[in-house]
Amino acid sequence: MKRKVQLLKMGNIELKKLAVKASENAYVPYSKFPVGAALRTAEGKIFTGCNVENISYGLANCAERTAIFKAVSEGYKDFSEIAIYGNTEEPISPCGACRQVMLETEKRFKQPMRILLFGKKGIYEMKSVGALLPLSFDASSME
């Protein structure tokens, strides 16, 4: 899949800056791979998150889920967009667990969440989580 660089709107620049700043708080003694995320709610409130590792890898948490869980714990459940930054040349993509959590929020609240993936040299935009996770497992799969 070829990624393309796009011009950023002012609101997206703010989200990118906040995602970069969040990555500076990452606790990554094992992978040395900091990631930051900035999540905008439908109401315009922004929550940030960073990845937090643990020697027991399964207990680590990614930046995207940290931001989403912070927002949900504060009573926000409707999200318009998320910016995800990795300290890499090309934009990074969320792991499978993060994709599933983002899909759950998008499907549950029937609000497409725009995803902005950043690296040092560019941005890749997805119009919805469904674009990241085709043929996904969601509540309709259990009917």
Side-chain angles (χ1 to χ4, degrees), residues 46-113:
I46 297 174
F47 289 88
T48 60
C50 62
N51 51 331
V52 179
E53 294 180 348
N54 187 284
I55 189 65
S56 176
Y57 289 116
L59 300 179
N61 202 51
C62 298
E64 302 92 311
R65 286 182 284 144
T66 299
I68 291 169
F69 295 161
K70 282 170 65 176
V72 170
S73 73
E74 295 295 322
Y76 294 88
K77 296 181 176 81
D78 209 2
F79 311 123
S80 61
E81 59 192 329
I82 187 167
I84 304 163
Y85 172 78
N87 190 20
T88 56
E89 293 300 311
E90 293 295 320
I92 62 167
S93 186
C95 74
C98 289
R99 290 174 191 217
Q100 187 65 41
V101 168
M102 291 188 307
L103 179 75
E104 177 81 10
T105 61
E106 186 175 272
K107 294 275 186 168
R108 167 106 165 52
F109 304 107
K110 297 176 177 58
Q111 169 77 23
M113 183 168 37

Side-chain angles (χ1 to χ4, degrees), residues 20-37:
V20 171
K21 185 168 176 44
S23 76
E24 295 168 2
N25 292 328
Y27 178 70
V28 290
Y30 310 107
S31 72
K32 310 282 193 262
F33 190 77
V35 177

Side-chain angles (χ1 to χ4, degrees), residues 97-141:
C98 289
R99 290 174 191 217
Q100 187 65 41
V101 168
M102 291 188 307
L103 179 75
E104 177 81 10
T105 61
E106 186 175 272
K107 294 275 186 168
R108 167 106 165 52
F109 304 107
K110 297 176 177 58
Q111 169 77 23
M113 183 168 37
R114 190 164 151 252
I115 303 160
L116 303 168
L117 308 174
F118 294 95
K120 293 177 190 174
K121 289 190 176 178
I123 176 176
Y124 190 68
E125 177 183 4
M126 308 297 287
K127 300 288 185 188
S128 71
V129 180
L132 278 175
L133 195 58
L135 303 173
S136 58
F137 179 80
D138 62 18
S140 68
S141 302

